[in-house]
Amino acid sequence: MGEFGLIHHLTDKISLKNSSTIKGVGDDAAILDYGTKQQVVTTDLLVEGIHFNLMYVPLKHLGYKSVMVNLSDVFAMNATPKQVTVSLAISSKFSVEAIDELYEGIYLACEKYGVDLIGGDTTSSLTGLLISVTALGEIEPGKAVMRSGAQVNDLICVSGDLGGAYMGLQLLERENEVFKVNPKEQPQFDGYDYILERQLKPEARGDIVQALKTLGVTPTSMIDISDGLSSELMHICTQSKVGCLVYEEKIPLDYQTKRFADELSINPLVAALNGGEDYELLFTVPIADHDKIKNDPDITIIGHITEAGTGTQLVTGLGSTIELQAQGWNPLKEEQ
Amino acid sequence: MGEFGLIHHLTDKISLKNSSTIKGVGDDAAILDYGTKQQVVTTDLLVEGIHFNLMYVPLKHLGYKSVMVNLSDVFAMNATPKQVTVSLAISSKFSVEAIDELYEGIYLACEKYGVDLIGGDTTSSLTGLLISVTALGEIEPGKAVMRSGAQVNDLICVSGDLGGAYMGLQLLERENEVFKVNPKEQPQFDGYDYILERQLKPEARGDIVQALKTLGVTPTSMIDISDGLSSELMHICTQSKVGCLVYEEKIPLDYQTKRFADELSINPLVAALNGGEDYELLFTVPIADHDKIKNDPDITIIGHITEAGTGTQLVTGLGSTIELQAQGWNPLKEEQ
């Protein structure tokens, strides 16, 4: 049934009991009411062998990324991250020095984004490493941006470029295979520093949330791109009860993403649509805000929202229209 | 270095940056400021093979307990739990029906304690089951009770009785060994329903927090007993910079705890001091409140706080005094 199906199955009967719970399961983060302020709450699990491979992921980068993926969800609510808890299950193969390295990355991320580490739990694991992070953010009441607010004719925007994290992963996997065959061979990473960084050290786009505020633009809906553009577009369309039309040629791809995709004979668009882990923001804005955002080099308009029932459509470079599939990065899928 | 040593090593350099972070690492929960209200935040990881054995722990009970251990931390802050997030890493051996059973227990706990499930993350695991729960609670500003407030001459109190959960675990382990040798043998649980329930279905003591409010008693310090009485007493004494004197003969033990300890030729006091998982509350109250609490059948006065430097002392039944050791239940210890 896949991850999304399972979550729906497990949570669709929830009825919220507390007046302080404004929004529960179903967005990038839950929203809690604290009077003059609101809080957003989000949590993510990273599991060795599923989400990361310690053969080539440095522990410091892993610690950094484990915080970042959670901050990305906080920003996707239009909120400001303030605190995180970090829990670890660690197998006996880890030395204190290794755990220190992991925490260096965790603290670096906290430092850079002005976030306090306020708690966690540390236990042993019989097998691999597992990291569970919960992030808490603050927002003014009524200012949270959910997946459900997109309106017909809104412009669809993305920050940065897409597909790079997936291509970085392919590069790391390729070089790891080479290493397994010949451990003396040096990995060939030349010219691919950007896509490696996209995979190993993603940055949550708090700068985009800030830029939109400065531009006087409030997105009508927003989500972070963790599972690939297709999957996130479908979340926004389903929850906003609308359709969308996006243009292949508008989807921002970095030169290295395209070059390495070419090297592997992959269509880089597939990396953008289904690759995941880019941690960019996907959001919609009223068409009236077009002039405010059109000159921001970090924001690309890729399409617009259409009436419900028209589906989530991609206009290809050849002018044909295809229905997008949510083949999002789904760690449960391989096992079912 | 043990769990407590590792946590100290990893967190002792934290300096809190946000004004909303009142208390970070170091108590049962962190405390956040939200103006007219404060929030407490706590998180716990439960790992298969470390914290539970699916040979004899029913999934529904496990779900219930995974929420309960977190609510216990919220109550230990004198707060009211309101929300939880639940993340799961699940190996492919789990059917949807098995996950449903786990969630039945999670929802039962939420229902009983008036808590909303507001989020989580679900992923696959290459090996066993892992459950990460974060609980959020509310409290009026200034009303949180920390580990650090115990004063000389305060009375030391515990709720309920101790050592039962540990003896329940011993019983389950014994019967599991029998089962492994002879799967047709029926487990011998007669007369031990109470200690089994203490292990499999603990209840967080929100009723005690409520009772203290009704009695007009505010504890000066409080902690939940998850790692055994010794360990928790030492946390209170260390953080309050005091010593303590507790009396062996005052420590509340249930009849079944004593009987099964007797059957295994174990001193039941060891189960109470070092067994863990009782999820009772340990707290201190001013001596002036003695009359208010002395008749509550669920509260036992076991000793009093002494000057710093006198240590954490136990007066044995024979009148001798011994220094307590924190041999708390430490899942990291076995591996180091």
Side-chain angles (χ1 to χ4, degrees):
Chain A
M1 97 173 38
E3 185 188 1
F4 301 137
L6 181 64
I7 290 170
H8 181 74
H9 169 76
L10 293 172
T11 60
D12 68 337
K13 288 187 213 85
I14 292 179
S15 68
L16 300 173
K17 288 177 285 284
N18 288 301
S19 60
S20 59
T21 313
I22 297 176
K23 169 87 188 161
V25 174
D27 216 294
D28 291 75
I31 307 173
L32 306 185
D33 179 37
Y34 270 83
T36 53
K37 272 190 219 165
Q38 290 182 351
Q39 184 187 52
V40 301
V41 183
T42 180
T43 187
D44 266 304
L45 268 186
L46 296 181
V47 181
E48 183 177 350
I50 305 288
H51 301 92
F52 57 88
N53 183 340
L54 290 179
M55 282 293 287
Y56 54 77
V57 175
L59 285 166
K60 187 174 171 181
H61 285 77
L62 180 61
Y64 191 87
K65 184 169 173 175
S66 68
V67 172
M68 214 48 63
V69 304
N70 282 278
L71 302 190
S72 181
D73 282 317
V74 172
F75 288 129
M77 300 301 290
N78 199 34
T80 308
K82 293 289 181 180
Q83 290 93 11
V84 290
T85 65
V86 177
S87 293
L88 298 180
I90 316 161
S91 73
S92 56
K93 75 176 173 187
F94 280 82
S95 63
V96 171
E97 289 71 26
I99 302 171
D100 277 340
E101 226 190 290
L102 185 72
Y103 265 81
E104 255 184 68
I106 289 167
Y107 283 126
L108 184 63
C110 288
E111 189 64 37
K112 187 162 175 182
Y113 287 79
V115 166
D116 291 323
L117 176 67
I118 58 162
D121 191 12
T122 307
T123 181
S124 54
S125 138
L126 292 180
T127 51
L129 174 65
L130 185 140
I131 309 173
S132 176
V133 177
T134 299
L136 307 165
E138 292 176 10
I139 189 159
E140 279 178 58
K143 299 287 186 189
V145 175
M146 288 186 268
R147 300 174 177 178
S148 54
Q151 302 288 327
V152 175
N153 294 328
D154 280 355
L155 301 174
I156 302 172
C157 308
V158 294
S159 63
D161 56 75
L162 302 180
Y166 179 79
M167 293 318 300
L169 180 63
Q170 300 311 307
L171 177 59
L172 287 161
E173 289 280 356
R174 183 184 75 175
E175 295 306 312
N176 190 40
E177 291 304 315
V178 171
F179 175 84
K180 280 196 250 175
V181 176
N182 182 359
K184 285 181 182 162
E185 187 98 24
Q186 285 298 307
Q188 297 298 314
F189 291 146
D190 287 356
Y192 288 131
D193 52 323
Y194 179 70
I195 58 173
L196 279 182
E197 194 173 303
R198 294 292 286 169
Q199 171 58 224
L200 293 174
K201 195 168 176 285
E203 297 289 342
R205 299 306 306 258
D207 59 334
I208 296 293
V209 172
Q210 192 49 55
L212 289 171
K213 284 202 179 91
T214 306
L215 294 168
V217 175
T218 305
T220 51
S221 70
M222 188 149 58
I223 187 170
D224 80 322
I225 304 179
S226 52
D227 297 336
L229 181 61
S230 284
S231 170
E232 317 307 357
L233 278 170
M234 292 187 74
H235 282 307
I236 282 190
C237 287
T238 307
Q239 295 195 32
S240 297
K241 300 186 175 65
V242 295
C244 74
L245 201 61
V246 297
Y247 298 87
E248 175 181 342
E249 59 185 23
K250 304 277 190 187
I251 294 173
L253 302 169
D254 182 75
Y255 169 73
Q256 290 187 12
T257 302
K258 286 187 276 194
R259 187 158 68 95
F260 191 58
D262 211 40
E263 205 177 316
L264 298 191
S265 302
I266 294 175
N267 182 347
L269 196 69
V270 174
L273 290 171
N274 300 324
E277 296 198 278
D278 284 319
Y279 301 107
E280 296 293 341
L281 292 172
L282 170 68
F283 54 96
T284 55
V285 301
I287 197 161
D289 285 335
H290 178 264
D291 286 355
K292 293 184 188 169
I293 57 165
K294 69 176 182 191
N295 293 323
D296 190 309
D298 258 356
I299 297 174
T300 308
I301 301 168
I302 60 167
H304 61 272
I305 296 293
T306 56
E307 300 280 351
T310 55
T312 51
Q313 309 269 350
L314 178 77
V315 180
T316 69
L318 299 169
S320 61
T321 300
I322 57 169
E323 180 82 17
L324 288 175
Q325 307 286 326
Q327 291 166 336
W329 186 69
N330 185 339
L332 278 176
K333 207 163 49 186
E334 294 106 81
E335 297 202 301
Q336 289 178 337
Chain B
M1 96 172 45
E3 184 189 2
F4 301 137
L6 180 63
I7 291 170
H8 180 75
H9 169 77
L10 293 171
T11 60
D12 67 338
K13 287 185 213 85
I14 293 179
S15 69
L16 300 172
K17 288 177 283 285
N18 288 301
S19 59
S20 60
T21 313
I22 297 177
K23 169 87 189 163
V25 174
D27 217 293
D28 291 295
I31 308 174
L32 306 185
D33 180 37
Y34 270 82
T36 54
K37 271 190 221 167
Q38 289 183 350
Q39 183 187 53
V40 301
V41 183
T42 179
T43 188
D44 266 303
L45 267 186
L46 296 180
V47 181
E48 183 177 349
I50 305 288
H51 300 92
F52 57 88
N53 183 340
L54 290 179
M55 282 292 288
Y56 54 78
V57 175
L59 284 166
K60 185 173 172 183
H61 285 77
L62 180 62
Y64 191 87
K65 186 170 172 173
S66 68
V67 173
M68 214 47 63
V69 303
N70 281 278
L71 302 189
S72 182
D73 282 318
V74 172
F75 288 129
M77 299 301 289
N78 199 34
T80 307
K82 293 289 180 180
Q83 290 93 10
V84 290
T85 65
V86 177
S87 293
L88 298 180
I90 316 161
S91 73
S92 56
K93 75 176 176 190
F94 280 82
S95 63
V96 172
E97 290 70 29
I99 302 171
D100 277 341
E101 227 190 290
L102 185 71
Y103 265 81
E104 254 184 68
I106 289 167
Y107 283 126
L108 184 63
C110 287
E111 188 66 36
K112 186 161 175 185
Y113 286 79
V115 166
D116 291 324
L117 176 67
I118 57 163
D121 191 13
T122 307
T123 182
S124 54
S125 140
L126 292 180
T127 51
L129 174 65
L130 184 141
I131 310 173
S132 176
V133 177
T134 298
L136 307 165
E138 292 176 10
I139 188 158
E140 279 178 57
K143 298 287 186 190
V145 175
M146 288 185 269
R147 299 173 178 179
S148 54
Q151 302 289 327
V152 175
N153 293 329
D154 281 355
L155 301 173
I156 301 171
C157 308
V158 293
S159 63
D161 55 76
L162 301 180
Y166 179 78
M167 293 317 300
L169 180 62
Q170 300 312 309
L171 177 59
L172 286 162
E173 288 281 356
R174 183 184 75 177
E175 296 305 313
N176 190 40
E177 291 305 315
V178 171
F179 174 83
K180 281 196 250 176
V181 176
N182 182 0
K184 285 183 182 158
E185 188 95 23
Q186 286 298 307
Q188 298 298 315
F189 291 147
D190 288 355
Y192 287 130
D193 52 323
Y194 179 70
I195 57 173
L196 280 182
E197 193 172 304
R198 295 292 285 170
Q199 171 57 223
L200 292 175
K201 194 165 177 287
E203 297 290 342
R205 300 307 305 260
D207 59 334
I208 296 293
V209 172
Q210 192 49 55
L212 288 171
K213 284 202 179 91
T214 307
L215 293 168
V217 175
T218 305
T220 51
S221 70
M222 188 150 60
I223 188 171
D224 80 321
I225 304 178
S226 52
D227 296 335
L229 181 61
S230 285
S231 172
E232 317 307 358
L233 279 169
M234 292 188 72
H235 282 308
I236 283 189
C237 287
T238 306
Q239 295 195 32
S240 298
K241 301 187 175 65
V242 294
C244 75
L245 201 62
V246 297
Y247 298 88
E248 175 181 340
E249 59 184 24
K250 304 276 190 187
I251 293 172
L253 302 169
D254 182 75
Y255 169 72
Q256 290 186 14
T257 303
K258 287 187 276 193
R259 187 156 69 92
F260 191 58
D262 210 40
E263 204 176 317
L264 298 189
S265 303
I266 293 174
N267 182 347
L269 197 68
V270 174
L273 289 172
N274 300 324
E277 295 199 278
D278 285 318
Y279 301 107
E280 296 293 342
L281 292 173
L282 170 68
F283 55 95
T284 54
V285 302
I287 196 162
D289 285 336
H290 177 264
D291 286 356
K292 293 184 187 167
I293 57 165
K294 69 175 183 193
N295 292 323
D296 190 309
D298 258 356
I299 297 173
T300 308
I301 302 167
I302 61 168
H304 62 272
I305 296 293
T306 56
E307 299 281 352
T310 55
T312 50
Q313 309 271 349
L314 177 77
V315 181
T316 69
L318 299 169
S320 61
T321 301
I322 57 169
E323 181 82 17
L324 288 175
Q325 308 285 326
Q327 291 166 335
W329 185 71
N330 185 341
L332 279 176
K333 208 164 47 186
E334 293 105 79
E335 295 201 303
Q336 289 177 336

